[in-house]
């Protein structure tokens, strides 16, 4: 493993895959679950533990941004490494392209982590309840891989193949795509900050997620990967989840019942 003062591969650090939006903050939905969402909770815990590991890199006094940048360099998904299967240094935690998996558990800051885990908690438990624990885990990881590959292709085409990507939101975007298919009529309690006032409203899940996805497309067309946010990872993960859920979801009475929004 290289030193924390190793020269960054590129100026500017890394791309973050983060779902948090200061304009629309989901708090909870109104779809009950039939069992404890063990995998969703485990993923939340693993992401939190990975972030604690990131903050613990290096000697005392090392600035947090240096720790996070270094963790992105050794554990982030770097397009050049994924396409060439070659580590360009500092030495990665795992051989390329397995950094796609490690990148899903690393984050670029506290707000980045908190936003992603909030989305995962609100929307992941019901998708896990529908798919079952093992299939949900495979679904989550598969969407994360699809998201990383989408961002990899975009970054390579845009001429920044050495910029690492970190964040769980590509996989969580796949969860949003599945939720939109399974529970479009669910209601999501949403916090909408308006200057110093926060308004709470109930939005249909189809509208909330559809608006979120439209914003990702607009941001991607406007700024692409140059904005420091991996919008194409969000799009790739969402589309992968939206398509995959049509194959994986159980077609049984329990799913049909859980897909209906409870009466107020």
């Amino acid at each position: 493993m290289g030193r924390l003062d190793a020269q960054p591969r590129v100026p500017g650090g890394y791309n973050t895959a983060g779902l948090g939006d200061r304009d629309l903050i989901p708090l909870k939905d109104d779809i009950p679950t039939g069992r404890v969402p063990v995998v969703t909770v485990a993923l939340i815990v693993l992401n939190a533990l990975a972030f604690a590991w990131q903050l613990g890199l290096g000697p005392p006094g090392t600035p947090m941004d240096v720790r996070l940048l270094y963790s992105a360099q050794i554990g982030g998904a770097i397009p050049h490494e994924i396409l060439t299967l070659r580590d360009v240094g500092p030495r990665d935690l795992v051989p390329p392209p397995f950094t796609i998996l490690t990148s899903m558990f690393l984050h670029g800051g506290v707000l980045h982590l908190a936003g992603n885990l909030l989305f995962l908690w609100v929307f992941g438990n019901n998708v896990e309840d529908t798919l079952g624990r093992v299939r949900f885990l495979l679904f989550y990881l598969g969407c994360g891989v699809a998201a990383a590959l989408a961002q990899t292709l975009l970054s390579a085409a845009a001429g920044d193949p050495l910029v690492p990507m970190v964040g769980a939101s590509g996989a969580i975007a796949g969860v949003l795509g599945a939720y939109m298919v399974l529970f479009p009529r669910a209601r999501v309690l949403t916090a909408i900050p308006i200057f110093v006032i926060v308004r709470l409203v109930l939005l249909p899940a189809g509208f909330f997620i559809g608006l979120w996805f439209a914003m990702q497309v607009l941001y991607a067309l406007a700024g692409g990967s140059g904005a420091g946010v991996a919008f194409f990872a969000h799009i790739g993960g969402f589309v992968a989840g939206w398509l995959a859920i049509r194959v994986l979801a159980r077609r049984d009475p329990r799913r049909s019942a859980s897909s209906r929004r409870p009466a107020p």
Side-chain angles (χ1 to χ4, degrees):
M1 184 178 295
R3 307 186 320 272
L4 263 69
D5 61 352
Q7 181 67 28
R9 289 183 170 94
V10 294
Y14 45 85
N15 290 323
T16 59
L19 296 174
D21 193 307
R22 290 174 294 180
D23 299 322
L24 295 173
I25 304 172
L27 301 178
K28 64 177 183 178
D29 65 1
D30 63 351
I31 300 293
T33 57
R35 53 185 165 180
V36 177
V38 173
V39 175
T40 299
V41 172
L43 289 170
I44 290 173
V45 171
L46 288 173
N47 276 277
L49 291 175
F51 189 68
W53 170 80
Q54 291 179 265
L55 296 181
L57 289 172
T62 303
M64 184 173 71
D65 59 343
V66 174
R67 300 173 192 261
L68 296 178
L69 175 59
Y70 181 71
S71 66
Q73 291 176 339
I74 64 175
I78 300 172
H80 177 79
E81 293 185 350
I82 293 170
L83 294 174
T84 64
L85 304 180
R86 185 171 62 88
D87 186 356
V88 297
R91 186 175 180 180
D92 289 333
L93 295 172
V94 294
F98 295 106
T99 49
I100 289 177
L101 298 177
T102 56
S103 71
M104 295 184 205
F105 295 92
L106 304 180
H107 287 82
V110 175
L111 293 180
H112 182 206
L113 173 72
N116 278 354
L117 297 190
L118 176 61
F119 271 74
L120 178 57
W121 173 249
V122 172
F123 299 105
N125 55 356
N126 296 114
V127 178
E128 178 182 345
D129 201 36
T130 299
L131 290 178
R133 291 165 180 162
V134 174
R135 290 202 296 175
F136 175 70
L137 178 59
L138 295 175
F139 170 86
Y140 178 92
L141 295 176
C143 289
V145 171
L149 292 178
Q151 186 66 33
T152 291
L153 295 176
L154 182 280
S155 296
D160 55 357
L162 295 178
V163 179
M165 182 188 74
V166 296
S169 66
I172 302 171
V175 174
L176 294 182
Y179 193 101
M180 189 174 186
V181 172
L182 296 171
F183 310 105
R185 294 183 294 166
R187 294 178 298 185
V188 180
L189 180 63
T190 306
I192 304 178
I194 304 175
F195 297 107
V196 295
I197 301 174
V198 177
R199 183 177 181 183
L200 300 180
V201 297
L202 283 170
L203 297 177
F207 175 80
F208 179 98
I209 298 174
L211 178 60
W212 173 86
F213 182 71
M215 292 170 65
Q216 305 312 300
V217 174
L218 289 176
Y219 290 148
L221 294 176
S225 62
V229 179
F231 294 117
F232 282 89
H234 299 168
I235 296 170
F238 181 91
V239 172
W242 189 85
L243 293 173
I245 196 62
R246 299 177 178 277
V247 177
L248 295 175
R250 286 198 275 273
R251 305 288 182 176
D252 59 18
R254 186 176 64 81
R255 179 203 156 181
S256 298
S258 64
S259 299
R260 293 192 294 267
R261 176 174 59 82

